Amino acid sequence: QVESLYPRPGWVELDPEVLWSHFVGVIKEAVQAAGLHMRQIAGLGISVQRGTFITWHKRTGKPFHNFISWQDLRSVELVNSWNKSLLLKVVHVIFTVLHFLTGNDRYLVPSFLTFSTPQTSMKLSWVFKNVHEAKEAAKKNNCCFGTVDTWLLYRLTKGSVYATDYSNASATGVFEPFTKSWNPTLSNLLSIPMSVYPPVKDTSFNFGSADSEIFGVPIPIMAVVADQQSAMFGECCFHPGDVKVTMGTGCFWNVNTGEHLFASQKGLYPLIGWKIGEEVVYLTEGCMPDIGTAIKWAQDINLFTNVDETEKMARSIDDSQGVCFVPGFQVSVNDPYLCASFMGLKPSTTRNHLVRAILESIAFRNKRLYDIIVKTVRVPLQTIRADGGVSNNGFVLQMTSDLINKKIEKPAHADMSSLGAAFLAGLASGFWTDKGQLKKLRRTEEVFEPQKDSEEYKPAMDTWLQAMKHSLHW
């Protein structure tokens, strides 16, 4: 975990050199811990955090600024200004008419396009408005833009490879998943030069080799993939209707929609899951940005000592005694000013009630997102598989299973992003020949099945929804 930098209130950055040295160090440690030598490594698969990006000088490789994190809020005013603008309303009307006349879903996404701060698009626009060196370099075709994967590829190959993959590109907000290309219209609107975008390659693909000076031998880079899509692949959610729920720093629900790309006005986002040769798999995603953050904050203020205690604390009481936790430590997709808060505190409130309220808020938000997915995605849902650090909390998974009235499978290992990258690299290098072999490697540790009627939670969830309303637009 690379430590975040906070140069100004709301700004979240990462030092590119620290990230690079950490990345190289982790690979070396992992190989050593496995009792292997670098020369035995057949290929490297890279899974990275999406939405965090950097720009740098094409010729010198020097960054124009630190990595700007997906959690960064510097573009809040720009986002609000654009979402209220007349120009965006005109765009909505034009594409609504086009969608009505053609019935083509390609026109559906821009018909209700709104910007949000987690997206790369608006923060990249901010860079070209505020970082003079980047703007001037772009005019001379000397500016490179890249999410974490592109920067790592560039550094691993000593500048000889400049590329990204479809999974990372589709999550930036400036890549058109229908046409599978960078969006010139949107880029022009946001004053982002088209020359800064990297070429887009398959997810499972030979990107070239890491320079031999880095690891002692040249190692082929056989896969590059965004973390959520990688976790989806690691969970073997290969079929339409398969659902992956990653509960880590944020919570991400991803639905495999196969060859079809579904757009929604309900806060769901269309993505490319992965591209392998001719196969392109699309996903629909809904996210909640601050699951693990809330739990870490509770630990930092000594509500508990070890995260493993939280499940026992929540189960030690029958309910939260009317206490509600409203998340909002990080930016909300729909309301950047949502206020994190506890409501319903009483003299009898204990740490157990506060912890249970935090965990209940995760399950309640899972329920809301699941309901939106069921109403919106025109693909029958099949298996639901959970991963990420918070998936180790049995209270959260059981309550979520009760609320959505579906069984949830939990894998033997919680870190599916790294496994997905390994699977994709193994396919590209020929270590595995097809996805059927990968399914046989998958191990389920526990299956959570509904134990209570979801109606039993209705009073508590109604109270929580009221608390949410009181915290909006703080």
Side-chain angles (χ1 to χ4, degrees):
Q1 186 75 24
V2 178
E3 188 175 345
S4 296
L5 307 173
Y6 305 95
R8 297 187 191 178
W11 290 26
V12 186
E13 298 180 351
L14 301 173
D15 185 310
E17 291 305 319
V18 171
L19 187 148
W20 167 249
S21 61
H22 184 76
F23 170 77
V24 172
V26 165
I27 292 175
K28 290 180 177 178
E29 286 173 20
V31 171
Q32 186 177 14
L36 300 172
H37 298 284
M38 285 295 177
R39 62 178 177 274
Q40 295 175 273
I41 306 302
L44 180 64
I46 303 174
S47 169
V48 297
Q49 181 188 89
R50 304 173 319 186
T52 297
F53 74 94
I54 196 169
T55 63
W56 67 93
H57 196 283
K58 184 180 291 185
R59 187 166 45 81
T60 67
K62 182 181 178 182
F64 295 117
H65 51 83
N66 284 335
F67 272 101
I68 298 176
S69 170
W70 69 279
Q71 300 162 309
D72 189 280
L73 301 182
R74 73 187 66 195
S75 63
V76 165
E77 296 305 325
L78 206 55
V79 166
N80 290 338
S81 175
W82 264 103
N83 286 342
K84 294 174 183 176
S85 69
L86 177 62
L87 180 57
L88 194 60
K89 290 181 173 62
V90 171
V91 169
H92 288 169
V93 171
I94 291 171
F95 283 97
T96 298
V97 171
L98 285 172
H99 181 254
F100 176 77
L101 293 175
T102 65
N104 191 333
D105 271 0
R106 175 183 172 183
Y107 301 119
L108 188 57
V109 176
S111 72
F112 52 80
L113 171 70
T114 54
F115 296 103
S116 63
T117 51
Q119 288 179 336
T120 302
S121 55
M122 204 53 82
K123 290 193 282 286
L124 186 56
S125 177
W126 181 95
V127 165
F128 289 110
K129 286 179 170 60
N130 294 276
V131 181
H132 178 75
E133 294 87 350
K135 186 177 181 180
E136 290 303 306
K139 289 178 181 178
K140 300 173 183 175
N141 197 25
N142 271 331
C143 181
C144 294
F145 151 78
T147 41
V148 177
D149 59 299
T150 305
W151 170 254
L152 292 177
L153 276 174
Y154 186 86
R155 291 293 298 266
L156 282 167
T157 60
K158 296 289 182 74
S160 65
V161 176
Y162 178 51
T164 187
D165 93 297
Y166 285 92
S167 67
N168 279 288
S170 70
T172 60
V174 277
F175 187 84
E176 172 53 66
F178 282 97
T179 61
K180 297 189 247 338
S181 61
W182 298 106
N183 190 322
T185 305
L186 186 55
S187 297
N188 187 50
L189 283 174
L190 299 179
S191 302
I192 301 172
M194 286 293 292
S195 64
V196 306
Y197 296 124
V200 185
K201 307 293 184 183
D202 283 7
T203 307
S204 184
F205 177 78
N206 189 340
F207 286 85
S209 292
D211 190 276
S212 57
E213 287 186 12
I214 299 171
F215 298 115
V217 292
I219 299 177
I221 305 161
M222 304 304 289
V224 165
V225 60
D227 54 1
Q228 298 310 319
Q229 289 96 316
S230 188
M232 188 86 172
F233 203 87
E235 287 274 30
C236 297
C237 291
F238 300 143
H239 306 290
D242 284 349
V243 181
K244 181 275 303 175
V245 186
T246 295
M247 292 184 284
T249 303
C251 181
F252 297 83
W253 283 70
N254 295 94
V255 184
N256 184 326
T257 58
E259 299 176 352
H260 304 286
L261 191 57
F262 288 107
S264 166
Q265 299 186 39
K266 304 290 187 181
L268 302 181
Y269 193 76
L271 293 167
I272 295 175
W274 50 84
K275 183 176 182 297
I276 306 173
E278 295 301 310
E279 180 194 40
V280 180
V281 172
Y282 293 103
L283 311 179
T284 291
E285 179 175 280
C287 72
M288 304 176 288
D290 59 357
I291 299 295
T293 308
I295 293 175
K296 185 178 184 305
W297 167 82
Q299 185 175 14
D300 289 344
I301 66 165
N302 298 319
L303 284 184
F304 53 86
T305 305
N306 191 298
V307 174
D308 296 339
E309 299 172 38
T310 58
E311 180 178 345
K312 184 178 179 182
M313 292 172 74
R315 294 188 188 281
S316 70
I317 50 178
D318 293 331
D319 54 49
S320 68
Q321 215 178 61
V323 176
C324 297
F325 174 71
V326 178
F329 291 106
Q330 294 166 1
V331 65
S332 162
V333 173
N334 300 314
D335 178 16
Y337 300 107
L338 180 69
C339 169
S341 55
F342 279 106
M343 294 189 184
L345 299 177
K346 306 169 185 67
S348 57
T349 298
T350 66
R351 292 183 182 188
N352 291 348
H353 294 112
L354 297 178
V355 168
R356 180 168 176 130
I358 292 172
L359 300 185
E360 284 183 347
S361 75
I362 299 172
F364 290 149
R365 285 192 290 167
N366 279 337
K367 164 66 172 170
R368 291 181 78 195
L369 206 42
Y370 173 82
D371 287 346
I372 291 170
I373 290 168
V374 169
K375 290 175 184 176
T376 305
V377 179
R378 300 187 298 275
V379 176
L381 301 188
Q382 306 297 328
T383 59
I384 300 177
R385 293 167 179 164
D387 62 84
V390 182
S391 71
N392 291 319
N393 191 297
F395 178 85
V396 171
L397 283 192
Q398 185 58 60
M399 187 171 176
T400 300
S401 174
D402 292 344
L403 285 166
I404 67 175
N405 196 33
K406 292 283 183 180
K407 70 177 183 180
I408 300 173
E409 298 178 12
K410 179 184 175 297
H413 303 286
D415 189 357
M416 287 291 112
S417 293
S418 57
L419 183 61
F423 280 172
L424 288 158
L427 287 173
S429 63
F431 189 81
W432 294 294
T433 56
D434 58 57
K435 295 197 285 287
Q437 291 178 297
L438 303 180
K439 289 181 184 178
K440 294 176 182 177
L441 298 173
R442 190 179 176 280
R443 297 288 180 267
T444 299
E445 180 181 87
E446 192 172 0
V447 177
F448 291 83
E449 298 195 33
Q451 294 180 355
K452 288 185 180 180
D453 192 309
S454 61
E455 285 298 306
E456 291 185 41
Y457 296 100
K458 191 174 185 306
M461 188 162 181
D462 287 345
T463 302
W464 179 79
L465 289 170
Q466 282 295 114
M468 286 284 288
K469 287 178 183 177
H470 285 301
S471 299
L472 293 172
H473 313 298
W474 185 257

